[in-house]
Amino acid sequence: GEGEMARCRLYGLTVSLCLLSIVGGDQGQHDGARKVPPEVVTLGKQAELSYQQWLHTRDKAAMSQALDAQKKVVDLLPRDPDARLMLGTLLYYSGRDQEAEKEARVALELEPDNPQINKLLGRILVQMSRERDGLPFLRRAVALSPRDHEGWYKLG
């Protein structure tokens, strides 16, 4: 419902759980949206809560728990771009740039027009001092979502 949307927006990150909880609602089982297995929802919640804990405390154990849970989500939903986006984001914040790049590229193959995936991949590549590779993805993210100030900032 709207509360879910607001909470997702509040965190400023498209967490796979948020999308699952929105897509999984009774209203709008459109274009063949599949029913999400309950274990995926549970794991997604674990990943999100651990990630939030890490954001507030920068506790490595919390990040490790978030990564473990999100890897299981990806194992269960390998073709879900949002699950991959979340895993890539967690890997990026863990300083595991090569693994993060791999996840972001898989997510991008699944959903090339997703501005957040483009932005993540751009950020990872710039972080790895590969600006020439990363900037086109950041520009694409801004083109896909012109109101995203963070995207513009990253281009600055």
Side-chain angles (χ1 to χ4, degrees):
E2 281 179 37
E4 291 290 332
M5 283 288 262
R7 208 187 68 214
C8 299
R9 236 180 274 120
L10 183 73
Y11 293 147
L13 177 77
T14 307
V15 177
S16 53
L17 162 73
C18 289
L19 283 135
L20 294 176
S21 64
I22 293 159
V23 171
D26 302 326
Q27 81 295 353
Q29 284 287 333
H30 55 85
D31 61 25
R34 63 202 176 290
K35 199 82 188 110
V36 177
E39 74 230 74
V40 172
V41 175
T42 304
L43 286 164
K45 280 184 182 154
Q46 280 174 9
E48 184 184 7
L49 289 171
S50 297
Y51 173 65
Q52 291 307 318
Q53 188 186 339
W54 176 81
L55 279 177
H56 294 298
T57 63
R58 293 299 192 253
D59 174 30
K60 284 193 167 70
M63 176 55 84
S64 175
Q65 287 170 336
L67 274 167
D68 288 348
Q70 194 60 31
K71 280 178 181 165
K72 289 175 188 158
V73 172
V74 168
D75 287 344
L76 291 163
L77 298 176
R79 300 200 48 78
D80 183 300
D82 298 303
R84 298 254 180 202
L85 170 63
M86 181 61 173
L87 181 55
T89 301
L90 293 172
L91 289 163
Y92 169 73
Y93 283 128
S94 300
R96 292 158 67 173
D97 294 334
Q98 268 91 11
E99 291 169 82
E101 180 190 354
K102 194 174 135 254
E103 284 304 323
R105 287 190 185 278
V106 174
L108 193 69
E109 270 176 44
L110 294 168
E111 198 178 333
D113 292 334
N114 182 314
Q116 282 157 315
I117 296 171
N118 278 276
K119 181 167 65 179
L120 177 65
L121 184 53
R123 286 169 68 178
I124 293 165
L125 292 167
V126 168
Q127 167 91 7
M128 294 165 81
S129 301
R130 288 163 57 192
E131 285 87 357
R132 194 176 300 166
D133 296 336
L135 285 174
F137 292 106
L138 291 173
R139 285 194 193 100
R140 179 139 172 73
V142 170
L144 289 165
S145 182
R147 286 197 296 250
D148 180 359
H149 303 298
E150 192 192 351
W152 285 107
Y153 168 74
K154 297 285 179 209
L155 278 174

